[in-house]
Each structure stands twice: as C-alpha cells, then as structure tokens.
Amino acid sequence: MSPGELGDLLRTLLWGYPPAPEMLDPRFPEAIQRVGGLSLAVIIAALAMAGGLVLGIMLALCRRETPPLTSSHWRFVDFSWRGLSLLAAALVETIRGLPIMVLALLVFYLPYPLTGTRLPGVVLAIIAFSLYAGAYSCEIIRAGLRSFPVGLREAGRVLGLRPGQIFLKIEMPLVVRNMLPDVVNLAVTVFKDTSVLAVTGVAELTYTGRLLFMDQPHDYGVALLLTMLLYWLPAALLARWLANAGPDMRMC
Amino acid sequence: MNGLDLGRYVFAAPYWGWLCRGSVMTLLIGVLSAALGTLLGLLVLRCRLAGGILPRMTGAIYVHIFRNLPVVPLLLFLTFALPDLWRQITGWHLPRDYEFAFLLLGLALNAGAYIAEILRAGMTAVPGEQLEAARVLGLAPAAIYRRVIFPQALGVVAPALASRYIHIVKNSSLALVAPLAPDLMEMLGQAERIAGQTFSWAEPLIFAALGYLTLALALSRLSDRLLSRLAGQMSRCQAGRSGVRARGWGEL
C-alpha cells in the first residue's frame, strides 16, 4: 500500500465516504449530508453530550431527594413531586439497564411502526445518545449535589448570604468542579460508543471503516486498524489529561 | 404506520424458538466473556505487580490500549480482517465457527483491561502498613498477596467491579456485528435474522430490549445484595480491628 493510498484512506476516515447521489435527501442541505467518518462521530458525540447534560439536569431536578423546604435556593426551579420523580427514576433506570446497541436500535426502529414518522439517521443518532448521556449524567449530577457538604451551606447562611447567592457562589462552583471529571469520562464513553451506529447505517467512523474494508478486503485490514487508531487516539489523550488534571479538580 | 404485531413476529412458530435460543446464547456469551476477561485481568494484574520491567510494561500497554478502544471496531477487525489475514499468510482455512472464538476474544480483551485496572486501583488503595505487617509476621510473598492484600483490595473495589461485570454482560449485545452462524447468534442477532425475513425490526427488538432489561435488573439486584453482605462483613472486620486498638492503646 503506497503512502498516497494511505493518505486517501485516512482522509476518507476523517471526513467520510462520498455518499451516492440517490442517497442524498433533497429536504436537507447537501453539505451537511456529506459529513461522515470521525468528524460525524465527534459532532454526534458533542451534540449528544449537550442534549444529554440538559436532559440530565432536568432528570436530576425531578429525582432529587432533598425536601424542598430545607434547600430554599432551589425554590425557583422546584418542580419535584412524587409522580414526576418516579417517572424520571423509571426512565433513568430503563436507559441504564439497556445496552447502548439496543437503545440505539430502539430509537431507530421503534418510532416508524408506532407513529409513521421518519427522521434522518443523524437526528435519531443524536436523540439516542442524548437519552444515553442524559441518564448517566443524571446520576453524575445527583452524586455531585449529594457530595456538597451541608456545613458550607450553613456557613453561607451565617455570613448573611441570600439563598440564591449561596447557590451561585458556593454550591455551583464546587459541585461543577466535582462533577467535571465524571462528565469528561462520560463524553469519552459516548464518543467511543457512537461506534454502534455502524449497524444502523449512520455514516460515522466505524461505518466508513467497514465500507473501506469491504472495498479492499485484501489490504490486511488496514482500514479497520486505522479506524481503531482514530477512536483510540482522542480517547487516550482525553483519558491521559483527565488522569493528570482530574484529582486537582475535585475540591470536596 | 402499521402498529406492532408481536403475535406474528415474536410468538409465532420459528421466531419464538430463535429468540429463546438467542437469549440462552446471550447468557452464554456474557458469562464466557466475563470469565475469560477475569482470567485475563488477573494475569495482567500479576504481570503489573511482578518485579521485571518487561511484564510490567506489557501489562500497562495492554490496559492502556484496550481501555480506550471501542469494542465494535475491535470485533469487526477480529472477525473480518484477522481471519482474512490468516488465510493470506498461511493459506489455511480456519476451523468452523471460528468467529465465535474471535468474538469471545474481543469481548474478553476489553473486559480484561477494565478488570485489571479496577483491581490495580484496589491494590494501591490498601495501606502499605498491611504489607509491612504481613512481612513482619513472616508470610511468604505469594501468601501476602493472596491472603492479605488481595481480599482487602477486592473489598475496596467491589462496587466498581460489580458494575463493570454488569457492563460486560450487556456488552454481549455487540455480538450483533460479528458474522456468527445462526445457531450461535444472541438475542439481537436473532432479532436481525427475523427482521431480515419479515422486514419488521420493532417486534423482535422489543423482545430483546425486555430481555436485556430483565437481565440487567436481575444482575444489579444480585450485586446489591452481595455488596451489602460484603459491606456488613467488612464493617464487622473494621469494628474488630478498631476494638483491638481501643483496648490496647485507647488511653494514649
């Protein structure tokens, strides 16, 4: 295999396989549909993390176990009542109990027979991974809120801070710093797990690698090796950074 | 939009048998990959604790590689590219159902890296005085590790280990990407087989999702029970130890 071929292979893995003209959906801009490979995996993981954190915060608010009256700073966002909390718990436990492959397939193949709507694969992928990230980040956020020492809240109250000030100036910074390593860890997991989308036909990195391998089956599996390298490198770099910086982040 | 027809695609004659067979295979793949992963993890742990630089480096590199590698591309490489490579190099064909062995190998490689890392974290969490005390008592090095350090390390990391085992069993769903013989397919593979014949993914998928949910729920209940029993034993141990200290040096 010549260096030029290797470069082509790498470029395809980074930016995606050129889609066949009949596969393009005229309802959506063409430039978006041409994105594939590693860049699509990163885009899906990033959007899913963003959606997942929003979902996780909402689920954690539904599920928090502190009674509303003792933590008065939550009052302005308080919508916890028992039914909602049970519903959120059921959703989180269901998603956490399912393997990501099954969750992704459910999101891809269940809506059509039930409602008759078809969405583009990338959108479904982002929904599936948002649910996944949401369930896991809900647990991370709950653990973070629980790790906050009550004494600090009382100290803030003694100093004459208002509940909102205690929340914004004392609780938030500490809790966010405590949660950050776990959130980065979750992001790495989500990025790695986007590889299951290959079975649903989303043109991300694994799908592209498999197509390239099918095109050139006698190239010693170089396409698949490069695919693994492209997953491994970002994940390993983030993990290394986390191992160095993570312990300093946690404050309480 | 045509709704779901479980009676036709799940409970009907050939499909129900396929799915039941698939659930047995899911259990089998989960148990086998967990067992192989444990063996591999213990082996790597032994290497990393050994004195020589070579086994130590090998163990560290193995863990570093496979912890940051997603399983799907790994399984694709092992079941598609590697047999091809073998044929090209040696000219021999692999024995029948070799894909199953490669599938187990891939799942075990991933599981072993995580288990080795968790166990190592437990080993470093055991206080150094324990090692010194055991040495002073004249225990052989092997006995020190087997009877003093390892049980305590296991107690420290038991929750992490339990959730990793649940994850390993859930990872058996990734066998969908491996080209297995119909007899050896797990639940999702059988669901895909049904979908290939009937063009309806949703119904067998619901069966598989419920199966995995039941499995995950049962395993987490089991691990909760075991962990609380272990915690009870540990706390009794701790109480005994501190009791001795209180009697001995309580007044100091």
mmCIF file of all heavy atoms in Angstrom, chain B residues 20 65 97 243:
data_model
loop_
_atom_site.group_PDB
_atom_site.id
_atom_site.type_symbol
_atom_site.label_atom_id
_atom_site.label_comp_id
_atom_site.label_asym_id
_atom_site.label_seq_id
_atom_site.Cartn_x
_atom_site.Cartn_y
_atom_site.Cartn_z
ATOM 1 N N CYS B 20 -35.694 -17.507 21.896
ATOM 2 C CA CYS B 20 -35.345 -18.196 23.140
ATOM 3 C C CYS B 20 -33.911 -18.704 23.062
ATOM 4 O O CYS B 20 -33.126 -18.569 24.003
ATOM 5 C CB CYS B 20 -36.295 -19.361 23.389
ATOM 6 S SG CYS B 20 -37.908 -18.804 23.924
ATOM 7 N N ILE B 65 -4.085 0.334 25.883
ATOM 8 C CA ILE B 65 -4.664 0.176 24.546
ATOM 9 C C ILE B 65 -6.140 -0.185 24.630
ATOM 10 O O ILE B 65 -6.995 0.482 24.056
ATOM 11 C CB ILE B 65 -3.901 -0.900 23.742
ATOM 12 C CG1 ILE B 65 -2.529 -0.372 23.340
ATOM 13 C CG2 ILE B 65 -4.687 -1.294 22.494
ATOM 14 C CD1 ILE B 65 -1.689 -1.371 22.597
ATOM 15 N N ASP B 97 -16.911 -22.073 12.677
ATOM 16 C CA ASP B 97 -17.356 -21.248 13.810
ATOM 17 C C ASP B 97 -16.202 -20.552 14.524
ATOM 18 O O ASP B 97 -16.256 -20.297 15.714
ATOM 19 C CB ASP B 97 -18.158 -22.077 14.817
ATOM 20 C CG ASP B 97 -19.477 -22.505 14.227
ATOM 21 O OD1 ASP B 97 -19.968 -21.790 13.336
ATOM 22 O OD2 ASP B 97 -20.000 -23.541 14.648
ATOM 23 N N GLY B 243 -11.608 -2.268 67.702
ATOM 24 C CA GLY B 243 -11.818 -2.691 69.077
ATOM 25 C C GLY B 243 -10.501 -3.090 69.722
ATOM 26 O O GLY B 243 -10.205 -2.695 70.851
#
